[in-house]
Amino acid sequence: MSSTSPTSYDELPYADNCFPYSHPDNLAVVATLYGLEPPALATCRVLELGCAGGGNLIPMALTLPSGTFVGVDLSARQVAAGQETIAALGLKNIDLKAISITNIDRSFGTFDYILCHGVYSWVPEPVREKILAICAENLTPNGVAYISYNTYPGWHQRGLVREILNYHVGRTTGSPRDRVESARVFLETLVRAVPRQDTSYARILQSEMEFLRGVNDSYLFHEHLEETNRPCYVHEFCDRAAGHGLRYLGEADSEGLIEALPPDSRAVLEQWSGDRVSREQYLDFLCNRTFRRSLICHNDVQPATVPSASRIIGMFVSASARPQSENPEITSDKVETFVGRRAGAVLSTNHSLVKAVLTALYEARPRALTLTEIKTQARSLLGRDFENVGQGPTVADILLKAHLGNMASLHVHPPILANDIGDHPEVSPLARLQSRTSERVTSLSHRTVELEPFDRAILPWLDGTRDSAQVLDAVVNSVLAGDFRLEQDGQQLLDREQIRKLMGAELELSLARIAEAALMMHSTNNI
Ligand SMILES: C[S@@+](CC[C@H](N)C(=O)[O-])C[C@H]1O[C@@H](n2cnc3c(N)ncnc32)[C@H](O)[C@@H]1O
């Protein structure tokens, strides 16, 4: 059944995003760490429920060409936009359908990975039940399903502000953007006007206002002004899943993971909790969690209760952190700091092997290394062998901790990308397409990259048909044509040779940035 009546997502489409944690590679990593044998990535079948315009699914289909990808969404407008992108890229392994989740049945077939991001809390009760029913009926025996949802206790605070904004906006009329603007202005005014600024109420309003300042209109509209937004406790989610013959496997995202807790909090948590689910619930009480990205599997699959470092053998690892100093001291006792990609992820250590491992990953970025490669690099950075020298964590222990602490990313099927620019630089066709209308593009490692203006401007020429000198010609011609204005001492530069010299240096930096952002592919012309 195609949707006929326009939805709120037709009115104000959701921003087209990719979600690294929902990538089947990450789902397979979590399943493997918990002792399972997840389906092979190269040929996997993936279903996304509520796929919007395919911002998450299309990049997966592009980078896993032998996989099969099906997305469904009620919003015909979003699906049509996704279909246009698929046609422009010539992808044959992906199908987006403008139908309701409630119309999926057994005849849809089975899938190794079922993804449902940002939908479960935002749909009416029957659809929520149906999402779990699909995970039970349409998931292959060792498949993994990902469902994200708003959770309590964190959402009690956010829900307070949602109710206040809904009341106010309910009294106004206008387009979705008008209503968002009205909500923003109202909240800012309310925060200033609250008479008792020293109360917890004032502090809650203030912190939610700051949070909402950092989100886009589409997010605010669909989180705070959407008709349905029903968070739940993790234990409620797991009970419901159990009712469908499904069990909790783990979290796709290591944020707020038990392993990442400080030792004192962890000890208290262990006292409170019994089984796996109650541990997760008490964890949320400790961390005041607002959002979960939970993985579930069939009940007859028996995951371990904790992730195991021994399962890392055979995986690949890429950097998620950079050393703060330009030349980290590996062999001395000096404390070095590594800064993770995620806000707040910081690690300071004087442990030589940890420093060597993280530095080796950083130097290889964005490429993922095998365990053997990491050991070889670490040995060379340390200037000595480190195995069989007694106690201390193994490289696998270090990598597991680094992965859980957002300092490194594990992969069972690493992204295929080029580390260097090659003879004929070629950027992912999806990123080139996206850059026509946005500075936000999706990398080959399934992350959103904010392009610098110059990088965005040159992307169309990086299609593998030009060598670096020809790309530079195109840049110079573009400057001469007036597309960019180059100045020296306040004067516009018009001399071809001077422009070439200046732009040559700029281009070199730009190409390096683009490669580091995991946007560069191996071009067939580079051979
Ligand atoms: C908050 S958006 C999330 C979109 C996307 N997964 C993301 O996170 O960017 C919720 C999506 O679910 C879709 N949706 C809501 N009810 C649905 C239903 N019954 N069947 C299919 N899609 C539905 C909406 O159209 C919308 O695109």
Side-chain angles (χ1 to χ4, degrees):
M1 181 199 77
S2 280
S3 73
T4 43
S5 51
T7 72
S8 64
Y9 293 92
D10 289 317
E11 277 187 90
L12 182 56
Y14 215 61
D16 229 5
N17 282 321
C18 68
F19 304 99
Y21 297 111
S22 75
H23 196 286
D25 179 37
N26 185 49
L27 273 45
V29 164
V30 178
T32 306
L33 290 176
Y34 280 94
L36 306 184
E37 299 292 338
L41 259 278
T43 52
C44 64
R45 284 176 52 80
V46 181
L47 170 65
E48 183 166 16
L49 308 173
C51 63
N56 195 34
L57 206 58
I58 294 171
M60 291 176 190
L62 178 73
T63 51
L64 291 169
S66 302
T68 305
F69 298 82
V70 178
V72 302
D73 199 286
L74 204 51
S75 157
R77 176 177 166 188
Q78 295 186 110
V79 167
Q83 281 163 342
E84 261 181 47
T85 306
I86 292 167
L89 295 172
L91 295 176
K92 302 282 179 251
N93 59 341
I94 175 165
D95 186 13
L96 301 188
K97 299 175 190 292
I99 60 165
S100 171
I101 288 166
T102 52
N103 293 112
I104 294 176
D105 56 23
R106 277 180 201 274
S107 69
F108 232 69
T110 56
F111 296 85
D112 300 316
Y113 298 95
I114 298 181
L115 320 176
C116 188
H117 183 82
V119 182
Y120 186 80
S121 299
W122 300 265
V123 285
E125 202 45 50
V127 186
R128 204 175 306 194
E129 271 304 298
K130 183 67 184 179
I131 290 170
L132 290 170
I134 292 168
C135 293
E137 279 186 3
N138 300 79
L139 190 68
T140 51
N142 56 345
V144 179
Y146 162 110
I147 301 180
S148 68
Y149 48 97
N150 286 335
T151 48
Y152 293 131
W155 246 89
H156 278 301
Q157 171 171 323
R158 202 142 284 167
L160 166 73
V161 173
R162 172 180 146 85
E163 283 171 20
I164 291 171
L165 295 183
N166 258 302
Y167 176 78
H168 177 74
V169 170
R171 295 157 63 88
T172 63
T173 50
S175 71
R177 292 232 186 253
D178 294 339
R179 279 177 272 162
V180 168
E181 183 55 19
S182 162
R184 287 190 190 281
V185 171
F186 170 69
L187 185 57
E188 300 269 340
T189 314
L190 179 66
V191 166
R192 279 196 304 273
V194 165
R196 293 275 316 276
Q197 291 286 326
D198 56 344
T199 57
S200 8
Y201 177 61
R203 280 192 291 274
I204 289 174
L205 293 184
Q206 171 81 30
S207 91
E208 287 302 303
M209 178 190 74
E210 278 160 17
F211 169 73
L212 289 177
R213 274 181 187 162
V215 305
N216 62 33
D217 285 357
S218 165
Y219 176 91
L220 194 153
F221 184 71
H222 293 297
E223 282 286 340
H224 287 70
L225 308 181
E226 193 63 63
E227 197 179 312
T228 309
N229 182 347
R230 228 178 299 160
C232 63
Y233 285 98
V234 64
H235 75 86
E236 292 171 334
F237 174 78
C238 293
D239 282 353
R240 271 179 174 239
H244 287 271
L246 298 160
R247 74 157 71 227
Y248 180 74
L249 164 61
E251 256 348 75
D253 170 7
S254 55
E255 186 192 13
L257 263 190
I258 290 164
E259 290 73 14
L261 281 180
D264 288 353
S265 311
R266 196 166 167 180
V268 173
L269 179 68
E270 297 302 342
Q271 282 171 19
W272 287 330
S273 35
D275 60 5
R276 185 75 209 283
V277 173
S278 73
R279 258 203 315 164
E280 293 295 320
Q281 185 55 77
Y282 283 111
L283 176 65
D284 287 2
F285 294 156
L286 273 176
C287 302
N288 193 28
R289 200 166 182 143
T290 54
F291 191 63
R292 272 191 171 263
R293 301 171 175 93
S294 295
L295 304 188
I296 50 178
C297 57
H298 288 292
N299 204 21
D300 53 1
V301 176
Q302 299 284 330
T305 48
V306 287
S308 164
S310 66
R311 303 284 294 170
I312 288 179
I313 293 157
M315 288 194 192
F316 302 79
V317 196
S318 63
S320 294
R322 64 175 169 76
Q324 210 164 44
S325 52
E326 212 166 296
N327 291 307
E329 282 186 26
I330 309 289
T331 49
S332 77
D333 258 1
K334 185 168 171 239
V335 172
E336 292 288 354
T337 298
F338 294 83
V339 183
R341 199 182 276 128
R342 158 173 286 166
V346 175
L347 174 79
S348 294
T349 180
N350 67 349
H351 193 289
S352 294
L353 185 53
V354 174
K355 291 191 282 184
V357 165
L358 293 181
T359 305
L361 292 174
Y362 181 70
E363 286 179 352
R365 73 195 185 284
R367 191 166 76 87
L369 300 178
T370 62
L371 213 57
T372 309
E373 285 173 317
I374 295 169
K375 286 180 183 174
T376 307
Q377 291 306 318
R379 222 171 269 129
S380 129
L381 287 165
L382 285 165
R384 62 173 166 84
D385 215 346
F386 52 83
E387 281 150 329
N388 310 320
V389 287
Q391 311 97 331
T394 64
V395 170
D397 293 333
I398 291 170
L399 291 172
L400 179 60
K401 266 199 137 163
H403 174 75
L404 298 177
N406 281 300
M407 292 282 134
S409 303
L410 296 172
H411 308 272
V412 294
H413 188 98
I416 296 169
L417 42 82
N419 251 36
D420 49 29
I421 59 171
D423 294 337
H424 290 74
E426 182 167 353
V427 158
S428 143
L430 174 61
R432 277 186 277 130
L433 188 69
Q434 290 169 322
S435 73
R436 289 187 199 163
T437 51
S438 168
E439 69 272 11
R440 286 160 57 87
V441 299
T442 308
S443 76
L444 294 161
S445 50
H446 209 67
R447 293 188 180 276
T448 301
V449 175
E450 300 250 359
L451 292 172
E452 294 199 13
F454 185 79
D455 302 353
R456 182 178 173 190
I458 67 166
L459 234 52
W461 299 314
L462 306 181
D463 60 359
T465 62
R466 299 168 178 82
D467 62 22
S468 300
Q470 288 167 320
V471 175
L472 183 56
D473 285 341
V475 174
V476 172
N477 289 339
S478 178
V479 174
L480 287 168
D483 299 338
F484 304 107
R485 188 183 158 88
L486 267 194
E487 287 188 0
Q488 204 167 42
D489 306 325
Q491 294 291 308
Q492 184 174 4
L493 270 187
L494 292 168
D495 177 74
R496 178 176 279 274
E497 274 322 299
Q498 267 185 313
I499 293 170
R500 200 174 172 83
K501 208 170 149 201
L502 270 179
M503 286 288 105
E506 185 65 34
L507 180 62
E508 208 174 302
L509 290 173
S510 171
L511 290 173
R513 263 195 311 266
I514 290 169
E516 189 176 341
L519 291 168
M520 210 67 92
M521 319 197 318
H522 288 288
S523 168
T524 40
N525 295 312
N526 283 337
I527 299 162

